[in-house]
Amino acid sequence: MRTNETYTPDRLSGISAFVAAVDAGSFAGAAERLHLTRSAVAKRIARLETRLGVRLFHRTTRSQHLTGEGQTFYQRCTKVLTELSEAEDELSAGSQTPMGKLRVTMPVHIGRQCIAPVLLTLAKTHPQLRLEMAFSDSRIDLVEEGYDLAVRSGRLDDTPGLKARSLGEQTMMLCASPAYLATYGTPQTVDDLADHECLMYGRAGNLYRWPTPMMPADGPHRSPRFILDDLIALVEAAEQGLGVACMPHWVIMRSIADGTLVRLLPQIRVPGTPLHLVWPDTRHPSPKLRAAIDALVSAAPALLGMPPTA
C-alpha cells in the first residue's frame, strides 16, 4: 500500500470495527461498543480483509481467534489509534481543562481509603471529567488493558514505555488498643513482644511476617491466633483488644487519632514500602492525566499520614 494513499472514512471504520472485535472478543461485542448491528461489523471487517488480501480471524460458529497476520495488524492498528488519541489530547491540551474518561487502577485498600477520594474530588471540580476506577491488588498491564494511570505499591520493575512518579513511602507501625494494653501491659522493647498476642496478615497460605526490627529476636513465643487477609478486619481485631498489630500508618492513623489504638515502640523504624504513580509514556500527557497526577502528588503526605518523629 502506498504511504500517500488516502484513508477514507470507510477504511478507518473497517479498522475501528476490527480493533473493537478483538478487544470485545466477538463481533456481537464490537457491535454493542460501536452501536452497530453485528452484520454491519462483519461486513466492515470482510471488506478490510478483502482490501488487505489476508484473513484476520479464524472463525467458527463458537469462537473467533486472530490469525498471525491479524495479530500483527492489530498491534499496528492499536498503535495508530493511540497516536490519533494523543493527537486529539495534544490539541485539547491548549484549554488545560481535564475532560474525557480517565481509567485508573489501584490496590484495593489504599485505593478505597486514600486514592479514590482525591480523584472523586477532582472529578467534582471538573464536570467534563469521567472516571473509571478499578480496585485490584494484581498488577495490570496498562497498555494492554487500556488504563491511563496506576497506583503501584512496592518496588517498581524497570518496564519500558512507562513513566513513574513517587507518592512517598508507607511507614509500618506497631499498635494495640488501650484495653489490651491495660490487661496485658505495654511492651517497652521489641523482645517484650514475644509474650504478646500478635495479629498477623496472611494470604493464600502465606504469612507476612513483621519487619525484622519489629520482630523479637526469637520470634513470638506462641503461634498467631489470628491470621487475616484483610487490613480493615485486622484494624477491627486490634481495636477489639485481640492483640498487637503491625500495619501501614495510613491504615491506622484515624484510629490512633481518635484513641481506639495506641502506637507502640515509636523508636523502632524500618524503611517504608514505596508507593508510585505509573502511566504509559506519551509525548503529550493529556490535561486529565496531568491533573490527576498533580492532585495525588499534592495530597500524598496527608494520604500516607507521615508519622511524627519520636
Side-chain angles (χ1 to χ4, degrees), residues 45 50 81 97 112 122 125 131 175 196 248 251 263 305:
I45 293 176
T50 299
L81 293 177
T97 300
R112 289 175 180 167
L122 180 68
T125 305
L131 288 176
C175 63
H196 284 266
V251 179
R263 183 184 180 188

Side-chain angles (χ1 to χ4, degrees), residues 231-248:
L231 291 176
I232 304 306
L234 202 59
V235 171
E236 293 176 353
E239 289 180 338
Q240 291 183 30
L242 297 177
V244 177
C246 179
M247 289 179 283

